[in-house]
Amino acid sequence: GCFVFKPSTKKRRLSDKPAHDFRSTSHDSEDTELRFVTCQSLWNQVKSETEQIQEDLNKQLLDNLVSFLSRSYSDFQEKTTQWTCKMKFREIPTAALVLGVNVTDHDLTFRGLSDVLQDNITPYIALLEAKDCPGIKNLMQKLMGQLMKCDIEVDSLEDEDCVQVSQNKIRCSMPSLISWYESVTKKTDAETPSKKRNSSSRHWQSPPVVVMFKDMESFTPRVLQDFIVISSQHIHELPLVLIFGIATSPMIIHRLLPHSVSSLLCIELFQSLSCKEHLSNIIDKLLLTPQFPFKLGEKVLQVLINIFLYHDFSVQNFIKGFQLCIVEHFYSQPLSVLCCHLEDIKKRVYSLSHDQCENIRRLPSFRRYVEKQESGKQIELLTNDSFLKEETEKLLEDLHDYHKNYVSVLRCLHVFTSSLPKYPLGKQIRELHCACLENQVWETEEYESSLQLARMLNKTDLVTMLQQCVEILMSSSGKEFDKTVEKLKKFLTQFQNLEEASQERDVSVSSQKELQKKTDLYHLQKTLLELKESRRSKKLTKFEMLRFEVVDYIDRLVRKYLVPADNRTLHEIVYFNAAAVLRGHLNAAPRTALHTALNNPHWYLKNQALKCDGGGISNKAPDICIVYKLHLECGRLINLVDWLEAFSTVVMAAEEPNADAASSDQVDDIIHARFIRAVSELELLGFIKPSKQKTDHVARLTWGGC
Amino acid sequence: MPNLEHPAYPAADLLHLESLVPCRESQVSTLLSIFGERQQFSFPSIFIYGHTSSGKTYVMQTLLTTLQLPHVFVNCVEYFTSRLLLEEILIQLQSCSSGTEQTSPVHCDTLNDFVRLFKQALAIQELQDQTLYIVLDRAEQLREMEANILPAFLRLQELTDRNVTVVLLSEIVWELFRPNIGCFEPFTMYFPDYSIGHLQKILSQNHPPEYSADFYSAYINILLGVFYMVCRDLKELRHLAALNFAKYCEPVVRGEANERDTRKLWKNIEPHLKKAMQTVYLREISSSQWERLQHDDGDPGQLKGLSAHTHVELPYYSKFLLIAAYLASYNPVRTDKRFFLKHHGKIRKTNFMKKHEKTSNHLLGPKPFPLDRLLAILYSIVDNRVAPTANIFSQITSLVTLQLLSMVGQNDQLDGPRYKCTVSLDFIRAIAR
């Protein structure tokens, strides 16, 4: 099926009746207004969180860039009479910024970059895009327009003439740019001392002009070359700095620019964080945290991750998808009003209406829960609203606790699985998370094998892992883990004692030593085989006993805390699980949708009359559907006359099957017109095109047209 | 060596000029004899060509400024449209002799206007009795402007009826300029490349003040020994010389060798220069990075050059799309059935043919293919089922914007778009891994 993106609430939020959208389809008793407000505040939290993450991740890159710019600038400022400086060729400082293949995400980075530059280095920044610059002339126009506009913004009060100048009349050439630059810098110099101090604290006296090429790959080489040649001639008068935004690899510079041009540049490379790491960060901060009450179900998360990994590598899209999940969840699930922070739950639960209570009773997980209770309690739950509310509150609190524990234990488990050879449960924590959400992880084969491998870990690894686990559990807010931490600490001391003991008693079993030393899979397996043989005869050493104990303990933790969310009562309230809806929204299939619409109009039109069985062509279908179905039977070239005849046969079939047999070879004008309209509609949709080979034929453009 | 002699100019000026243009004396004297005396009409147009950095621009500029001849110097790359070019000439003309900065905005759209305004400008000023020189640098750009620009500049003297000479500077020969409708033939002049001796002489000329000329000249000798094979560009050589001189002086500064110890110095600098040839010269690392490395005595190996980062991370399906595109570009259509179908029938034994095809296909370069074929190959090389979602189609477009694929033909999107794969086999191998 095909789904169209609804204009999300984002736009409508601006309207004065915010909850109108949610209310329109559901009863007012379902707390639509409250749901809307919750949704909004949750999204705002998520948004600020993601922006924060983004900022942190880009910080390193931006700092490097800023220091590069200030360095190149200070080089420029050194008006030394030094011999080397005189002899050296003045190159244009250039930063090559490798940002990864998703070009749409670059917007944000560039915006952040220009903000930072504006604050720290220079007000003169221009951002050029390839689509605006098909020729050098357009490039210069765009560049000057942007630069002079930012000048107006900086000192917005004066200068009517400046506004006039920035109009299209200006001569788009380097000298006019230089004279503009001179006038601007002179003006800031001439300002009153107080003002000057103010401005010089932010920018230097003659700040560099930064020109950013947003999508280096798409620029025509010629334009870039010309621009670089021109600007390198004026570098002494106009301190220019270039920034190339590169999506693929820095090799593209050599491909676009010949040596004679690239020798005019002083290129330094800056690499941004890979988008996969970025995603891991986002997932870590958004999903694997008890901070947000809203959770994604396994299928939904899988859809989002798959779109990211298989299709676009776009973190922005991932966040947009997450937003869609939030909106969709609060929109479609009346009980999502309870999807809030722990503090608010009590109040909200007790203000639930009767309808909402019924909604709770209808939840599958709740029904399962009821069935497990004894009969007296069952009746209470199903009939008494206030008892239900009490119970609900308790269950929801349980759910919150479950999340907290889940995340901590998941991280502990990840500490173990991420260091195993071959990563049976995945390298990334998101894979582990998905596996745990999907079903009971301890029943899977991968889990079995990873336990097996964990039982072969050497001591130093095991100890560091245990220490990490202790740290994770300590940092989690739940008090539940006090005992666990104690237990783990006990293990640690036991390991230490073991060490001391083994130091006293000289090592008798050499194979044990070997096992501790070697970590790679091959040797592990080999020694394991040996061990297995020796185990029959020999008793386990103390270390091995302890190791088994540790692994068993971890296993017990997993079984206790990593229960899939589907098994929890009331999970529907906080988990969004409608993966099909999401997939329809985010991963649309236009070809399939078109085909369904034309082949099976009933699907969209919902008209019973159109329902046809098998491959037959109903004459009640819209003309275009009939024409489409007929054309499917043809080859690459379609004879229009044959097509028309087939069409008229189908259309006439129902009307009067045997009435005008006489005039059958004379096609009705109306039918003719209908046919022509349908064919031109198909042409508009891109299924056929007029063929030059034969005048009365059209060529198929799609599916099997060869 | 021919000494510059000309009755019209004072001998002191000529001597000064000669010192400024080493190894170009003969060209300068030819030019001077063509120019003649100040008030004499000169040849209407002169075309000077020669390889990159053979001193064309420099010689013209020093010649005109030292002898204080009235001139206009314009770079045609910078003034990329005829209007900009003509206006720039007029602006420079206004300011060059009048001295007062009264640059009223000039509007000059056509050559006709230009000739009129040019006459006006000359009439006002006291230039009537002197030859005016208009130098057009990078004149090959003129060919891309309107068709009448180049012939008109060649005949500017005749058109304006004023004492003016146009000098065209270019890196390509006159034969490539000549319009097929014919035009006035300029006086052509060739600037030969500097020989290694010339380079040595010119580079040694400006030695740093704190070291002796001999010491620097020995350094230049070593530098040329390394770089002369790959680079004869004077500017570039001078840049490299300046970059690496500090390293050369190092033993002297530390007192380990004196200035005469050429062998020791050579041993010190030679590997360094070779490294520079592989890195800085190719702009793999920037010169400022190189200097910093030198300063910190770091190893250039730790700093990766631009070409080291060849790896491109692509989404899963983009990789497959790219591989499919590569297959479609380099395999002929008729082999598709054999390669991508499970039951493809019998294979005829045409081993020789196949081999022949394989070699030639890579030499011939990528061939265009329609979208449907790309998708068909994609479906057959991906293991699981691929739904033709909007995301797949948008990935094709984004591959095009990344210049990994290129669209062939500018026709309508609906009209069966055709693509070409533009990446190399190595790239595909890296991706397929």
Side-chain angles (χ1 to χ4, degrees):
Chain A
C2 172
F3 299 84
V4 180
F5 266 101
K6 296 176 204 155
S8 67
T9 41
K10 212 174 176 185
K11 260 187 208 160
R12 297 184 191 178
R13 265 174 207 167
L14 299 173
S15 64
D16 27 12
K17 275 187 200 164
H20 171 76
D21 193 33
F22 277 14
R23 197 190 293 150
S24 58
T25 53
S26 48
H27 315 288
D28 204 30
S29 59
E30 290 179 340
D31 305 304
T32 41
E33 209 136 337
L34 191 55
R35 255 156 64 204
F36 181 78
V37 173
T38 324
C39 169
Q40 210 173 357
S41 76
L42 178 67
W43 167 241
N44 285 337
Q45 279 173 35
V46 170
K47 202 170 143 203
S48 63
E49 179 78 22
T50 52
E51 274 162 9
Q52 189 59 43
I53 296 168
Q54 212 108 34
E55 212 168 279
D56 293 347
L57 290 180
N58 279 335
K59 197 171 181 311
Q60 176 78 32
L61 177 75
L62 294 184
D63 285 353
N64 284 345
L65 261 174
V66 166
S67 74
F68 166 74
L69 284 181
S70 49
R71 200 168 52 224
S72 59
Y73 168 81
S74 67
D75 286 353
F76 183 78
Q77 214 54 6
E78 272 175 31
K79 291 223 169 76
T80 43
T81 46
Q82 259 179 35
W83 172 80
T84 38
C85 288
K86 257 196 293 182
M87 292 300 289
K88 244 188 325 188
F89 188 73
R90 264 301 292 281
E91 293 168 317
I92 309 173
T94 305
L97 205 57
V98 181
L99 292 170
V101 290
N102 195 292
V103 187
T104 45
D105 278 13
H106 297 180
D107 273 347
L108 211 70
T109 321
F110 275 111
R111 215 177 308 141
L113 177 62
S114 56
D115 284 350
V116 169
L117 291 182
Q118 213 127 45
D119 287 347
N120 295 317
I121 294 189
T122 171
Y124 312 120
I125 298 169
L127 178 67
L128 299 175
E129 279 178 71
K131 65 168 191 275
D132 297 332
C133 313
I136 179 79
K137 193 176 166 189
N138 312 70
L139 188 143
M140 290 300 284
Q141 260 170 2
K142 200 85 196 164
L143 175 68
M144 293 179 74
Q146 286 191 22
L147 285 177
M148 299 195 173
K149 205 181 294 151
C150 74
D151 168 48
I152 291 166
E153 276 169 12
V154 165
D155 35 42
S156 49
L157 31 148
E158 0 111 79
D159 291 322
E160 261 80 57
D161 54 344
C162 200
V163 184
Q164 275 177 359
V165 166
S166 75
Q167 277 157 11
N168 251 350
K169 286 283 163 91
I170 201 162
R171 272 165 53 88
C172 291
S173 63
M174 221 50 180
S176 39
L177 194 61
I178 290 165
S179 61
W180 162 81
Y181 181 76
E182 271 168 3
S183 71
V184 166
T185 44
K186 218 179 274 166
K187 206 187 292 159
T188 46
D189 282 354
E191 273 170 9
T192 52
S194 64
K195 241 185 176 178
K196 191 180 169 187
R197 205 180 306 130
N198 194 18
S199 67
S200 65
S201 63
R202 276 175 58 215
H203 309 303
W204 287 294
Q205 211 165 19
S206 52
V209 175
V210 179
V211 181
M212 300 193 259
F213 294 89
K214 202 179 137 204
D215 38 358
M216 173 90 171
E217 279 88 353
S218 318
F219 276 91
T220 7
R222 183 64 199 284
V223 172
L224 270 182
Q225 287 165 23
D226 280 355
F227 179 71
I228 291 169
V229 168
I230 293 172
S231 45
S232 89
Q233 266 163 359
H234 294 285
I235 185 77
H236 291 275
E237 295 123 8
L238 186 73
L240 207 64
V241 178
L242 306 182
I243 296 179
F244 293 155
I246 295 173
T248 49
S249 76
M251 284 289 279
I252 194 82
I253 296 177
H254 290 314
R255 213 163 8 130
L256 286 177
L257 306 175
H259 182 250
S260 62
V261 176
S262 66
S263 65
L264 303 174
L265 302 175
C266 174
I267 307 168
E268 273 187 48
L269 192 66
F270 297 89
Q271 216 145 7
S272 74
L273 200 67
S274 99
C275 50
K276 283 183 187 167
E277 281 171 56
H278 195 161
L279 179 78
S280 308
N281 261 308
I282 293 278
I283 288 183
D284 212 48
K285 298 268 164 61
L286 286 190
L287 302 180
L288 300 177
T289 165
Q291 191 188 345
F292 302 111
F294 174 75
K295 308 279 169 197
L296 292 182
E298 187 267 335
K299 292 233 174 60
V300 170
L301 183 59
Q302 204 68 57
V303 167
L304 286 180
I305 290 178
N306 279 353
I307 288 179
F308 178 84
L309 288 180
Y310 284 0
H311 291 299
D312 58 7
F313 268 0
S314 164
V315 176
Q316 292 310 311
N317 273 358
F318 184 86
I319 294 168
K320 279 267 144 54
F322 189 65
Q323 184 187 9
L324 184 70
C325 294
I326 295 178
V327 173
E328 189 68 39
H329 180 68
F330 281 92
Y331 176 70
S332 58
Q333 174 61 265
L335 288 170
S336 57
V337 68
L338 297 178
C339 180
C340 57
H341 290 288
L342 195 56
E343 308 88 62
D344 302 335
I345 278 183
K346 191 164 185 175
K347 212 175 78 197
R348 291 199 181 180
V349 166
Y350 286 108
S351 59
L352 284 182
S353 63
H354 175 70
D355 285 354
Q356 287 282 56
C357 293
E358 285 302 312
N359 278 335
I360 294 180
R361 287 179 189 127
R362 253 178 254 135
L363 289 179
S365 68
F366 188 74
R367 272 196 246 157
R368 255 179 278 142
Y369 172 75
V370 171
E371 277 159 25
K372 275 183 215 151
Q373 309 301 319
E374 58 215 64
S375 58
K377 203 177 172 190
Q378 272 184 5
I379 295 165
E380 273 293 283
L381 279 174
L382 292 178
T383 52
N384 187 347
D385 276 359
S386 57
F387 184 73
L388 175 81
K389 284 175 184 172
E390 263 171 48
E391 199 66 19
T392 310
E393 192 200 340
K394 222 184 293 161
L395 287 170
L396 281 174
E397 275 167 11
D398 281 354
L399 202 59
H400 270 267
D401 288 342
Y402 157 76
H403 285 313
K404 256 185 228 160
N405 303 336
Y406 176 88
V407 173
S408 307
V409 175
L410 186 75
R411 283 183 203 278
C412 288
L413 183 61
H414 180 240
V415 166
F416 275 86
T417 55
S418 63
S419 57
L420 296 176
K422 278 194 177 172
Y423 313 105
L425 274 171
K427 199 177 179 180
Q428 305 282 349
I429 195 163
R430 58 165 187 261
E431 293 162 276
L432 192 64
H433 180 51
C434 282
C436 291
L437 281 179
E438 195 180 3
N439 44 30
Q440 294 168 338
V441 70
W442 54 88
E443 284 172 356
T444 58
E445 268 177 50
E446 291 87 10
Y447 183 76
E448 255 332 289
S449 64
S450 44
L451 275 195
Q452 285 284 340
L453 288 168
R455 289 196 184 102
M456 289 181 282
L457 286 167
N458 66 17
K459 196 169 83 185
T460 44
D461 283 356
L462 206 56
V463 168
T464 50
M465 279 177 208
L466 282 179
Q467 272 160 354
Q468 279 175 2
C469 289
V470 168
E471 269 167 40
I472 290 168
L473 294 179
M474 297 267 270
S475 65
S476 86
S477 49
K479 281 190 175 170
E480 197 146 334
F481 290 121
D482 287 350
K483 260 188 202 160
T484 324
V485 171
E486 255 170 50
K487 181 82 180 162
L488 289 179
K489 279 184 176 162
K490 215 173 96 192
F491 279 133
L492 280 172
T493 49
Q494 274 175 328
F495 273 117
Q496 227 154 32
N497 294 339
L498 204 66
E499 201 168 5
E500 282 156 18
S502 68
Q503 268 171 359
E504 286 166 19
R505 181 171 53 95
D506 206 56
V507 198
S508 52
V509 197
S510 60
S511 70
Q512 225 57 53
K513 252 284 172 45
E514 250 166 56
L515 187 67
Q516 287 171 26
K517 268 183 203 160
K518 284 167 184 164
T519 43
D520 58 315
L521 185 62
Y522 172 71
H523 285 281
L524 267 177
Q525 280 176 340
K526 212 169 114 188
T527 38
L528 185 76
L529 280 176
E530 283 168 12
L531 266 181
K532 252 189 183 168
E533 279 171 17
S534 63
R535 200 175 290 161
R536 282 176 202 137
S537 53
K538 227 182 287 170
K539 266 185 80 180
L540 291 174
T541 60
K542 259 188 188 170
F543 167 70
E544 280 173 314
M545 302 266 278
L546 198 55
R547 194 166 56 188
F548 275 124
E549 235 174 277
V550 170
V551 174
D552 284 344
Y553 186 71
I554 297 291
D555 186 35
R556 246 178 290 145
L557 277 183
V558 168
R559 279 165 202 267
K560 188 171 171 198
Y561 292 109
L562 294 190
V563 185
D566 295 358
N567 296 1
R568 306 292 307 196
T569 314
L570 295 186
H571 72 88
E572 289 93 338
I573 290 178
V574 293
Y575 277 84
F576 179 65
N577 251 326
V581 177
L582 192 71
R583 199 178 296 126
H585 281 312
L586 295 182
N587 207 358
R591 273 197 179 191
T592 329
L594 252 182
H595 184 73
T596 322
L598 292 173
N599 209 24
N600 188 7
H602 169 67
W603 182 269
Y604 290 112
L605 295 179
K606 307 283 181 214
N607 184 351
Q608 280 305 317
L610 295 178
K611 211 169 185 177
C612 57
D613 36 317
I617 306 173
S618 153
N619 63 332
K620 291 194 190 66
D623 291 345
I624 188 171
C625 298
I626 301 173
V627 170
Y628 175 78
K629 275 199 178 179
L630 288 171
H631 115 290
L632 283 183
E633 294 159 11
C634 301
R636 170 146 177 68
L637 285 174
I638 307 170
N639 187 332
L640 276 173
V641 180
D642 294 350
W643 203 1
L644 171 61
E645 236 153 60
F647 178 74
S648 76
T649 319
V650 171
V651 174
M652 302 286 275
E655 280 167 11
E656 280 133 77
N658 42 12
D660 5 49
S663 66
S664 63
D665 43 327
Q666 191 65 34
V667 178
D668 187 7
D669 277 351
I670 293 177
I671 292 181
H672 198 162
R674 277 166 66 187
F675 173 73
I676 288 173
R677 193 176 67 177
V679 168
S680 48
E681 276 170 356
L682 270 194
E683 191 183 334
L684 188 72
L685 288 174
F687 285 98
I688 53 169
K689 68 167 182 178
S691 151
K692 276 172 194 148
Q693 294 165 16
K694 290 180 180 171
T695 41
D696 55 344
H697 283 61
V698 288
R700 268 183 81 172
L701 289 171
T702 47
W703 301 304
C706 23
Chain B
M1 201 177 285
N3 263 322
L4 294 180
E5 273 179 15
H6 202 279
Y9 306 102
D13 277 358
L14 289 177
L15 213 62
H16 181 56
L17 179 65
E18 194 176 332
S19 70
L20 284 177
V21 286
C23 313
R24 281 283 174 255
E25 292 86 357
S26 67
Q27 280 83 8
V28 170
S29 80
T30 321
L31 276 174
L32 278 180
S33 49
I34 297 169
F35 287 177
E37 291 174 27
R38 276 171 195 275
Q39 73 282 3
Q40 288 169 339
F41 272 71
S42 161
F43 205 77
S45 48
I46 303 170
F47 180 82
I48 299 176
Y49 67 103
H51 208 264
T52 321
S53 81
S54 47
K56 303 177 293 289
T57 313
Y58 175 73
V59 165
M60 270 324 283
Q61 213 149 22
T62 31
L63 175 66
L64 292 172
T65 43
T66 35
L67 296 182
Q68 290 172 333
L69 300 169
H71 66 276
V72 168
F73 210 101
V74 183
N75 188 330
C76 297
V77 179
E78 199 180 324
Y79 302 96
F80 34 84
T81 63
S82 61
R83 184 174 150 232
L84 281 177
L85 182 72
L86 298 178
E87 285 178 357
E88 177 64 22
I89 293 174
L90 290 174
I91 289 173
Q92 282 198 26
L93 198 61
Q94 270 186 0
S95 60
C96 88
S97 56
S98 61
T100 49
E101 293 274 324
Q102 38 121 1
T103 44
S104 54
V106 201
H107 287 292
C108 173
D109 281 325
T110 62
L111 249 158
N112 200 14
D113 286 347
F114 175 71
V115 170
R116 186 172 52 82
L117 291 167
F118 186 78
K119 278 188 196 168
Q120 272 178 18
L122 280 194
I124 303 165
Q125 289 147 17
E126 58 279 13
L127 294 170
Q128 279 118 324
D129 53 342
Q130 288 185 44
T131 316
L132 176 78
Y133 296 92
I134 297 179
V135 186
L136 301 175
D137 201 356
R138 303 283 300 263
E140 58 268 18
Q141 296 287 327
L142 290 178
R143 298 180 301 168
E144 270 145 53
M145 296 177 188
E146 287 88 340
N148 63 348
I149 294 284
L150 179 63
F153 269 120
L154 292 172
R155 278 176 191 274
L156 197 63
Q157 200 176 70
E158 190 185 322
L159 288 172
T160 56
D161 197 21
R162 293 288 181 277
N163 190 357
V164 60
T165 292
V166 176
V167 184
L168 303 171
L169 306 180
S170 175
E171 285 174 15
I172 55 180
V173 293
W174 168 247
E175 277 67 33
L176 296 170
F177 275 75
R178 194 180 285 138
N180 42 15
I181 45 168
C183 66
F184 182 81
E185 289 285 315
F187 177 83
T188 52
M189 197 172 161
Y190 177 58
F191 272 42
D193 281 354
Y194 290 114
S195 70
I196 188 164
H198 288 160
L199 287 174
Q200 167 89 33
K201 190 175 163 196
I202 297 168
L203 285 172
S204 317
Q205 216 176 28
N206 22 24
H207 59 90
E210 55 266 40
Y211 292 97
S212 73
D214 283 349
F215 178 67
Y216 190 67
S217 137
Y219 165 65
I220 291 297
N221 201 5
I222 296 171
L223 184 90
L224 281 178
V226 176
F227 280 103
Y228 185 69
M229 291 300 287
V230 290
C231 173
R232 297 175 189 198
D233 190 329
L234 189 60
K235 263 187 258 169
E236 188 72 22
L237 282 172
R238 197 198 315 231
H239 182 68
L240 287 166
L243 275 184
N244 295 305
F245 188 60
K247 180 82 179 173
Y248 182 72
C249 298
E250 231 170 48
V252 180
V253 173
R254 270 181 291 173
E256 288 167 7
N258 66 11
E259 290 194 13
R260 306 231 154 262
D261 227 344
T262 9
R263 218 187 121 65
K264 206 167 190 177
L265 290 172
W266 179 78
K267 264 201 164 162
N268 174 44
I269 194 73
E270 217 244 349
H272 187 73
L273 287 180
K274 286 216 164 126
K275 226 176 268 168
M277 187 161 77
Q278 282 154 14
T279 51
V280 190
Y281 172 62
L282 294 175
R283 292 302 186 275
E284 287 290 297
I285 63 178
S286 73
S287 19
S288 62
Q289 277 172 322
W290 178 254
E291 275 188 323
R292 250 175 287 143
L293 270 180
Q294 232 173 46
H295 199 254
D296 311 338
D297 251 340
D299 176 29
Q302 37 181 268
L303 204 73
K304 277 190 186 166
L306 292 182
S307 325
H309 303 267
T310 47
H311 182 63
V312 179
E313 262 191 3
L314 285 174
Y316 185 77
Y317 282 132
S318 291
K319 283 183 190 173
F320 275 103
L321 273 171
L322 204 55
I323 294 170
Y326 187 81
L327 291 173
S329 263
Y330 286 96
N331 285 328
V333 182
R334 61 197 165 79
T335 56
D336 280 0
K337 207 171 170 190
R338 195 168 69 212
F339 289 152
F340 303 117
L341 231 58
K342 271 184 187 134
H343 311 289
H344 49 66
K346 61 178 180 184
I347 304 167
R348 264 176 294 154
K349 295 245 174 185
T350 47
N351 267 341
F352 172 70
M353 272 293 288
K354 238 198 289 174
K355 222 175 231 169
H356 175 71
E357 269 168 15
K358 221 167 210 167
T359 47
S360 63
N361 269 342
H362 276 283
L363 291 176
L364 285 174
K367 290 188 191 60
F369 53 85
L371 177 65
D372 281 344
R373 190 169 162 227
L374 174 70
L375 289 179
I377 296 178
L378 175 74
Y379 297 147
S380 78
I381 59 174
V382 179
D383 289 335
N384 39 7
R385 217 172 59 83
V386 193
T389 58
N391 275 327
I392 297 274
F393 294 118
S394 68
Q395 274 178 63
I396 298 175
T397 328
S398 61
L399 285 176
V400 172
T401 56
L402 293 179
Q403 301 274 296
L404 298 173
L405 298 184
S406 70
M407 190 120 112
V408 184
Q410 296 301 314
N411 43 12
D412 195 17
Q413 279 281 333
L414 290 178
D415 218 20
R418 293 162 77 78
Y419 300 92
K420 242 183 197 181
C421 181
T422 55
V423 295
S424 64
L425 182 60
D426 292 335
F427 190 90
I428 289 291
R429 281 218 180 105
I431 275 182
R433 208 171 289 139

